[in-house]
């Protein structure tokens, strides 16, 4: 386990603008009424090729210099893009020049948040129905799953959104449907997935949320897909589900910007949604995170921000 004190992240840390890209791998849908910040439309983000969708047979597959890692221009399928972590993550990916497919049951909500981004495709689908996932992977290089629900009965459970439906059935369907050729499948679960029979996690698991998350972890580990699993503590900084991305850009983690990373399930504490979104993005860029599970917590101090080398140091020494 290692704590890294480095340069302070003052905002959501959407990173520097991507340089001009000459290739990508997913099709683009155009929408109006975008609330994305103006920086996403500036001259620094020219995407000159569309994602591979129906035209994939006419293109040679993109080859990365390091197997299992991604780079700007690759296409990421974000599942749960309109949730608290998903919104921040999607904004970061778009800003850094990744092509993004945002899978959502509510395309109107996604359109209001992300609709005008040129490097975005909105895809409607419900992971609880395996048949709806057959065509969502065209041109996708990586999958990030940030599905989740509340641990205890709440309004979020209405319409069949309880822990079993969300963390076992929906996530399980997504894992089974993902093609073996993707470079990475990144899954967010929770602290306590290996300790759900012990206090205090046994209380959190009264309705099975940790048990179902652990089932999906095990399914992913046995799937043959190259994976990374992130296990945050109790989420802070938000949720931002009632805000647009202009508001998200102004969000900060306050003074708790330092990050602790450890392998396994040994950390307790809180995790900033902002830091978690950055960790998700950074984990795709690094070979050190492939086929490993990490716990993350936020602590007082300055953190790695958007510096990939500093994140690499954290993951390497965990």
């Amino acid at each position: 386990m290692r704590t890294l004190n480095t340069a302070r992240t003052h905002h959501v840390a959407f990173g520097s603008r991507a340089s001009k890209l000459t290739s990508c791998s997913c099709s683009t849908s155009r929408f109006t009424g975008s609330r994305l910040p103006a920086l996403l439309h500036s001259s620094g983000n020219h995407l000159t090729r569309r994602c591979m969708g129906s035209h994939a047979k006419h293109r040679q597959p993109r080859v990365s210099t390091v197997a299992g890692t991604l780079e700007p221009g690759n296409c990421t399928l974000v599942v749960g893009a309109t949730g608290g972590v998903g919104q921040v993550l999607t904004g970061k990916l778009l800003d850094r020049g990744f092509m993004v497919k945002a899978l959502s049951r509510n395309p109107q909500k996604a359109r209001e948040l992300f609709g005008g981004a040129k490097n975005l495709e909105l895809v409607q689908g419900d992971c609880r129905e395996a048949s709806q996932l057959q065509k969502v992977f065209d041109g996708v290089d990586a999958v990030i799953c940030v599905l989740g629900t509340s641990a205890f009965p709440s309004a979020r459970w209405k319409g069949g959104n309880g822990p079993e439906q969300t963390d076992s059935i929906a996530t399980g369907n997504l894992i089974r449907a993902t093609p073996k050729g993707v470079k990475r499948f990144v899954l967010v679960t929770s602290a306590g997935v290996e300790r759900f029979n012990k206090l205090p996690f046994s209380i959190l698991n009264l309705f099975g949320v940790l048990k179902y998350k652990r089932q999906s972890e095990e399914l992913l580990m046995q799937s043959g897909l190259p994976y990374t699993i992130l296990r945050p503590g109790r989420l802070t900084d938000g949720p931002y589900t009632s805000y647009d991305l202009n508001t998200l850009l102004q969000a900060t983690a306050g003074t708790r910007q330092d990050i602790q990373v450890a392998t396994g399930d040994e950390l307790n504490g809180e995790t900033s949604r902002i830091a978690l979104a950055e960790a998700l993005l950074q984990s795709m860029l690094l070979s050190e995170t492939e086929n490993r599970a990490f716990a993350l917590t936020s602590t007082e101090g300055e953190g790695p921000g958007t510096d990939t080398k500093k994140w690499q140091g954290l993951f390497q020494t965990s």
Side-chain angles (χ1 to χ4, degrees):
M1 181 175 69
R2 181 182 172 191
T3 302
L4 183 66
N5 289 299
T6 53
R8 182 178 300 275
T9 305
H10 293 288
H11 300 290
V12 171
F14 275 30
S16 59
R17 300 174 184 173
S19 58
K20 185 173 182 178
L21 303 175
T22 58
S23 63
C24 64
S25 48
C26 76
S27 79
T28 304
S29 297
R30 298 190 181 190
F31 300 99
T32 58
S34 169
R35 296 184 182 178
L36 281 170
L39 63 87
L40 293 183
H41 308 290
S42 65
S43 59
N45 277 345
H46 291 299
L47 300 173
T48 59
R49 290 178 60 184
R50 294 171 180 255
C51 276
M52 289 191 300
S54 59
H55 304 292
K57 62 183 178 180
H58 301 301
R59 303 252 170 86
Q60 294 296 319
R62 186 179 182 88
V63 179
S64 178
T65 55
V66 180
T69 62
L70 282 88
E71 58 189 22
N74 286 142
C75 184
T76 301
L77 175 68
V78 179
V79 183
T82 59
V85 175
Q87 288 187 26
V88 182
L89 170 64
T90 300
K92 286 175 176 287
L93 289 166
L94 292 172
D95 184 48
R96 312 241 185 119
F98 287 87
M99 306 299 294
V100 177
K101 280 191 176 184
L103 180 65
S104 174
R105 287 180 291 171
N106 186 349
Q108 180 58 38
K109 180 178 180 180
R111 186 173 293 114
E112 290 173 356
L113 288 167
F114 315 120
K118 295 180 180 179
N119 46 333
L120 174 74
E121 180 180 357
L122 301 180
V123 183
Q124 184 172 7
D126 187 341
C127 291
R128 297 171 300 180
E129 300 293 335
S131 61
Q132 296 189 24
L133 299 176
Q134 295 176 0
K135 297 182 180 180
V136 304
F137 298 100
D138 288 347
V140 168
D141 297 299
V143 177
I144 303 181
C145 178
V146 288
L147 292 175
T149 189
S150 57
F152 300 100
S154 70
R156 293 181 65 184
W157 285 24
K158 292 181 179 179
N161 294 311
E164 183 176 12
Q165 294 90 341
T166 302
D167 293 302
S168 180
I169 295 173
T171 304
N173 286 340
L174 182 67
I175 293 168
R176 284 184 285 267
T178 299
K180 292 298 187 288
V182 300
K183 297 178 180 179
R184 195 72 62 90
F185 190 114
V186 185
L187 175 64
V188 175
T189 60
S190 173
V193 289
E194 295 182 359
R195 298 174 283 171
F196 61 77
N197 290 323
K198 301 177 181 179
L199 288 171
F201 298 105
S202 58
I203 297 173
L204 186 65
N205 191 54
L206 283 174
F207 294 89
V209 65
L210 296 178
K211 177 184 72 174
Y212 294 125
K213 287 181 183 294
R214 181 57 179 166
Q215 287 177 359
S216 289
E217 285 191 352
E218 292 174 340
L219 179 64
L220 179 58
M221 291 174 177
Q222 297 165 8
S223 69
L225 296 167
Y227 68 85
T228 301
I229 296 170
L230 297 186
R231 297 164 170 169
R234 187 178 69 85
L235 295 175
T236 61
D237 296 331
Y240 299 110
T241 49
S242 62
Y243 296 92
D244 61 30
L245 283 187
N246 285 310
T247 304
L248 292 178
L249 279 172
Q250 306 306 316
T252 70
T255 60
R256 296 174 61 83
Q257 297 182 43
D258 201 3
I259 302 295
Q260 283 188 312
V261 178
T263 54
D265 184 27
E266 64 180 72
L267 295 182
N268 299 311
E270 300 177 341
T271 306
S272 162
R273 286 179 171 87
I274 300 167
L276 176 57
E278 185 64 35
L280 289 165
L281 190 158
Q282 294 291 340
S283 72
M284 297 193 307
L285 310 180
L286 299 168
S287 60
E288 289 84 358
T289 63
E290 187 171 332
N291 297 333
R292 298 180 69 189
F294 299 92
L296 296 94
T297 58
S298 297
T299 60
E300 291 287 334
E302 299 175 348
T306 62
D307 191 320
T308 298
K309 289 185 178 180
K310 294 171 183 176
W311 280 100
Q312 183 178 36
L314 279 172
F315 287 122
Q316 275 182 333
T317 57
S318 299

